[in-house]
Amino acid sequence: MKIFGIGMNYAAHNKELQNSLLNIEAPVVFTKADSALLTDGRPFFVPDFTERCDYETELCVRINHLGRSIPERFAHRYYDEVTVGIDFTARDLQEKLRQQGLPWDLCKGFDGSAAIGKWMPLTHYGRDIQDLHFHLLQNGRQVQGGHTADMLIGVDRLVSFISRFFTLKTGDVIFTGTPAGIGPVHVEDHLEGYLEGEKVLEFNVK
């Protein structure tokens, strides 16, 4: 399976990172190793190579069949399940890599950095994928929330764009970008992710 991440897909998040890419013309795509996947409520272990590891709460979609060079108008046929995920980022390492003009693999794709909640049928919510609300609780306090209507590039366009470069296969996952509100996690934190008010993700930080 492949795990795709999308960077800078919410304008408010771009501003909080002091980034100027507020009107991007194409998605900013990166990948995570399959060993990054964290499922079934298993704990997340803060890596020893970072002084600041941030949560980035996102809507995730799972590809349901093979596709390549998918037209945007047909992209909705290639996914039917959604959940909340956390794209963990070694923020201090990311800054070093950016300054050196290097890729993000080390700060984004490390083991356990792609936490995934319970997959839910999109039909369960009875609404368009670009009208879903999600949020994250850290130790019982809401720290991040988003609405997919605020994405700079919608899910169907993301699927279409990625499929021009990578053959999408059943089980591939797309993290669609994070809204504003990112922050660091600490040992003993308890994280809970909600989609349309329903808890779909829960685990501890070690």
Side-chain angles (χ1 to χ4, degrees), residues 139-167:
N139 303 321
R141 181 175 68 89
Q142 181 171 328
V143 291
Q144 194 172 23
H147 184 203
T148 57
D150 296 328
M151 287 181 180
L152 298 176
I153 297 176
V155 174
D156 288 352
R157 186 176 166 198
L158 294 177
V159 171
S160 177
F161 181 86
I162 293 171
S163 74
R164 291 175 55 196
F165 302 90
F166 302 90
T167 297

Side-chain angles (χ1 to χ4, degrees), residues 27-206:
V28 177
V29 180
F30 59 91
T31 60
K32 289 176 176 274
D34 57 4
S35 60
L37 196 65
L38 186 68
T39 60
D40 302 321
R42 289 179 294 143
F44 171 73
F45 291 88
V46 178
D48 61 5
F49 52 77
T50 180
E51 295 297 322
R52 173 167 172 160
C53 190
D54 283 359
Y55 58 78
E56 296 190 12
T57 313
E58 315 194 5
L59 180 86
C60 299
V61 299
R62 182 162 61 178
I63 300 301
N64 60 13
H65 61 276
L66 187 74
R68 187 173 187 277
S69 297
I70 302 166
E72 185 175 341
R73 67 183 183 279
F74 297 135
H76 65 279
R77 300 178 181 177
Y78 288 82
Y79 60 87
D80 55 13
E81 291 182 307
V82 293
T83 192
V84 170
I86 297 180
D87 165 25
F88 283 108
T89 303
R91 190 67 65 197
D92 50 350
L93 179 56
Q94 185 183 44
E95 289 305 313
K96 292 178 182 178
L97 295 171
R98 279 177 168 167
Q99 291 171 10
Q100 298 174 50
L102 297 175
W104 292 358
D105 300 59
L106 297 180
C107 68
K108 286 280 194 179
F110 57 87
D111 289 356
S113 63
I116 293 285
K118 176 184 176 182
W119 290 105
M120 302 293 293
L122 185 56
T123 54
H124 175 74
Y125 300 103
R127 61 181 66 194
D128 187 272
I129 196 167
Q130 299 302 153
D131 187 25
L132 294 175
H133 297 82
F134 58 95
H135 68 272
L136 177 72
L137 301 185
Q138 182 180 38
N139 303 321
R141 181 175 68 89
Q142 181 171 328
V143 291
Q144 194 172 23
H147 184 203
T148 57
D150 296 328
M151 287 181 180
L152 298 176
I153 297 176
V155 174
D156 288 352
R157 186 176 166 198
L158 294 177
V159 171
S160 177
F161 181 86
I162 293 171
S163 74
R164 291 175 55 196
F165 302 90
F166 302 90
T167 297
L168 293 176
K169 297 182 178 181
T170 301
D172 288 350
V173 176
I174 302 174
F175 281 70
T176 60
T178 194
I182 62 169
V185 293
H186 308 92
V187 174
E188 303 304 332
D189 276 354
H190 183 67
L191 301 180
E192 300 169 86
Y194 289 77
L195 183 56
E196 285 298 315
E198 185 172 357
K199 186 190 296 185
V200 294
L201 175 68
E202 183 175 16
F203 62 96
N204 295 316
V205 178
K206 299 292 186 181

